[in-house]
Amino acid sequence: MALTESKIRTAKPRDKRYRMSDGGGLVMDITPAGKKVWRYRLQNDGKDSVVTLGTYPELGLLDARQAALDIRKEGVAPAVAKARVVAAQGITFQSVADLFMARERPHWAVGHYERFHNRMTHDVYPMLGDLHPRDIKPADVVAVADRIVARGAVDTSVRVVGMVGQVMRYAVAKGLADRDVTADLKGGLDRPAPVQHMPAVLDRTELGRMLTDIWDWAGDSYGKPLLQLSAYLFQRPGEIQAMRWADIDLDRGLWTYRVSKVGIDHAVPLASQVVEILRGLHRQTGEFEYVFYSHTAKCGHVSPQIAVKLLDKIGWRDRQTPHGFRAVARTIIAEDLRIEPRLIEQQLSHGVAETHGRAYNRTVFLDERTEMMQAYADHLDRLRG
C-alpha cells in the first residue's frame, strides 16, 4: 500500500531500524533515533543499487516520488542521482529566509521589507546563509550580532537577531528546523542605549522666537522652506524632502502620499500659509518631479541635512530638529487648541486602527483635520508674531 503524509508523520521509531514501502522501489527507512530517510532501489548495469534521496520532512512525499521517477526515467548512476537530489533540495538558511520574505512581502510595508532584506543580505547571509537551519547554533547567531556590534550598531544587532528568530520559527513550522535557537539568547545580548528623543522647543515664548528666526533668515537655500513646512505640516522630514508635485493639489489644498514607515496612504490638508509657500516653490521647481529638486543628488531631491544646517546657523540646532516639530505639534495642538488626540495621531500618520482597516485612513476625519491644520498654522503665526 502506498504511503501517505499522515502515515509518515505518525510513524514512530522502534528498537531496530525498519522500512516502509511506497512501491516502485521507493522506501522510507526509520531509525531507532526517529530519523526518516528516503531511499530508492534501482538496477544499474544489472546490479541492484540503493540511492539515498534525502530525509523527511526536508524532502516531502511528492518530491521523493518525483526524484525516484526522474531517476527511473533517466537511468542515471546512483552517485549522479543523489547529487541531483541534494542540489534540488538546496535547503539553506538563505533559501528559507527568501521563502519567508516572499510570504510576508504582501503584508509588510515597502520600507520594512527593504530593511529586512538588506539586513539579511549584508549581515546574516555572509555568516549563516549556507547553513541548514537545523545546523545553526546559538553561538552562530551571537557571531552575527557581535559583528554588527563591532561597528557600533548595538540596536541594529538586537533587531537582526529578532529577524533571524522570525526565519527560524518559520523553518520550525515548515519542518526544516527543530527549534528557534535565538530563544536561548533572550536577555543575553548587549542592549542598545536608551532612546534619545529628538530635541523640540515646547516653551511657547521660545518657540515663537525660533519661528521668528527661521522666517527672518535671509538666505536662499531650501533650508528655510523645509523648516517652514516641517513646522506647519509636522510630517516626517524624509517625507517632506521627497514631496512630489504630482501628489499636491494646490487648488484643493491637499497633499496625498504613501507613508513608507507604516505602509498607509496618507492625506495632509494644506493650510493657506502652506499653499502660499508651495506656490512660491512651484515657480522654481514646478517643471521637475520633486518640490525640493536637486540636480546633484541621485535620488532627485535634497537631503534633510539642509534644514539641520540652517537650525545650526541660526543657533537652534541643539534645541530643535526637523523631526522635533512632530512633538511640538502633538503637544501644542492638544494643550493650546484642545483638539482631540485621535485627530492629532491621525495627522501624524501613526496608523490609527479604524473599523474598515488602514486602507481607509487617508480620508478619515479629513474635514476635521483640515480645520485643525489651519487652526494650528494660525496659532504658530500668532506665536511668531
Side-chain angles (χ1 to χ4, degrees):
M1 182 180 295
L3 296 176
T4 64
E5 287 283 356
S6 176
K7 187 175 181 180
I8 295 170
R9 282 197 305 268
T10 56
K12 303 297 183 184
R14 301 174 185 173
D15 293 338
K16 296 182 179 180
R17 179 191 300 265
Y18 69 98
R19 174 170 291 176
M20 300 190 302
S21 175
D22 189 54
L26 179 63
V27 298
M28 170 175 281
D29 286 343
I30 302 178
T31 70
K35 191 174 184 179
K36 301 174 181 179
V37 184
W38 289 110
R39 305 189 196 278
Y40 178 59
R41 299 176 62 86
L42 76 160
Q43 278 199 340
N44 186 53
D45 294 332
K47 299 180 180 180
D48 286 339
S49 300
V50 176
V51 178
T52 300
L53 301 179
T55 58
Y56 182 88
E58 288 88 344
L59 189 66
L61 174 59
L62 295 181
D63 290 333
R65 286 173 176 168
Q66 185 61 52
L69 180 61
D70 291 342
I71 295 172
R72 186 161 59 246
K73 282 183 177 180
E74 298 180 20
V76 298
V80 175
K82 182 176 181 179
R84 287 183 180 179
V85 172
V86 172
Q89 282 183 264
I91 299 172
T92 63
F93 180 87
Q94 180 171 343
S95 68
V96 174
D98 288 343
L99 289 173
F100 171 69
M101 287 188 288
R103 187 193 74 173
E104 295 299 317
R105 187 169 190 172
H107 310 289
W108 285 348
V110 174
H112 178 69
Y113 172 81
E114 291 177 349
R115 284 189 293 273
F116 200 104
H117 183 273
N118 289 339
R119 292 279 71 82
M120 287 290 122
T121 301
H122 298 298
D123 293 321
V124 182
Y125 290 167
M127 301 186 71
L128 304 183
D130 293 335
L131 298 178
H132 193 292
R134 189 169 279 119
D135 296 331
I136 294 175
K137 298 177 175 57
D140 298 322
V141 183
V142 171
V144 173
D146 287 346
R147 185 180 179 187
I148 300 172
V149 170
R151 66 173 190 256
V154 179
D155 54 343
T156 299
S157 73
V158 175
R159 286 195 293 269
V160 168
V161 170
M163 293 174 181
V164 172
Q166 292 181 59
V167 176
M168 291 299 297
R169 289 190 290 277
Y170 173 77
V172 171
K174 296 299 180 182
L176 303 176
D178 300 321
R179 54 189 294 273
D180 170 18
V181 297
T182 66
D184 294 345
L185 306 178
K186 194 171 184 179
L189 297 173
D190 291 336
R191 300 171 63 185
V195 175
Q196 298 293 322
H197 294 288
M198 300 294 184
V201 177
L202 299 178
D203 178 84
R204 307 313 191 257
T205 301
E206 291 296 292
L207 177 60
R209 291 173 182 164
M210 181 185 65
L211 294 174
T212 298
D213 289 344
I214 294 172
W215 260 252
D216 288 349
W217 188 69
D220 59 355
S221 79
Y222 283 139
K224 180 175 179 177
L226 272 171
L227 288 176
Q228 289 174 321
L229 294 184
S230 295
Y232 281 137
L233 300 177
F234 52 90
Q235 300 304 295
R236 295 176 180 86
E239 308 289 3
I240 293 177
Q241 78 188 45
M243 291 177 77
R244 300 187 311 158
W245 287 116
D247 297 332
I248 299 171
D249 188 333
L250 291 176
D251 294 329
R252 289 181 60 201
L254 193 66
W255 170 32
T256 57
Y257 68 95
R258 183 80 173 175
V259 183
S260 58
K261 183 178 178 69
V262 293
I264 61 174
D265 292 328
H266 188 44
V268 182
L270 307 177
S272 59
Q273 295 94 322
V274 175
V275 172
E276 181 179 354
I277 293 171
L278 289 174
R279 288 196 187 279
L281 288 169
H282 192 270
R283 289 190 288 270
Q284 302 176 47
T285 64
E287 61 183 298
F288 302 107
E289 178 181 3
Y290 295 103
V291 174
F292 295 101
Y293 165 76
S294 171
H295 69 278
T296 58
K298 291 183 179 180
C299 60
H301 57 73
V302 299
S303 162
Q305 285 302 309
I306 292 179
V308 174
K309 289 178 181 178
L310 177 54
L311 285 170
D312 190 24
K313 287 181 180 179
I314 62 178
W316 292 91
R317 181 170 183 168
D318 293 334
R319 302 180 60 187
Q320 179 71 39
T321 64
H323 196 281
F325 282 112
R326 291 169 64 77
V328 172
R330 187 187 300 111
T331 301
I332 290 182
I333 294 176
E335 294 181 0
D336 295 9
L337 303 182
R338 305 288 183 178
I339 290 176
E340 183 184 358
R342 183 182 182 84
L343 292 179
I344 307 171
E345 291 298 305
Q346 193 82 42
Q347 197 55 61
L348 285 165
S349 68
H350 279 168
V352 180
E354 296 298 334
T355 303
H356 299 292
R358 298 169 75 187
Y360 288 83
N361 273 13
R362 183 176 65 179
T363 57
V364 168
F365 303 125
L366 186 58
D367 290 341
E368 292 89 341
R369 288 190 285 124
T370 299
E371 294 180 7
M372 177 185 73
M373 296 298 282
Q374 186 61 59
Y376 180 59
D378 293 341
H379 189 59
L380 291 183
D381 287 352
R382 285 193 293 271
L383 292 175
R384 180 165 56 89

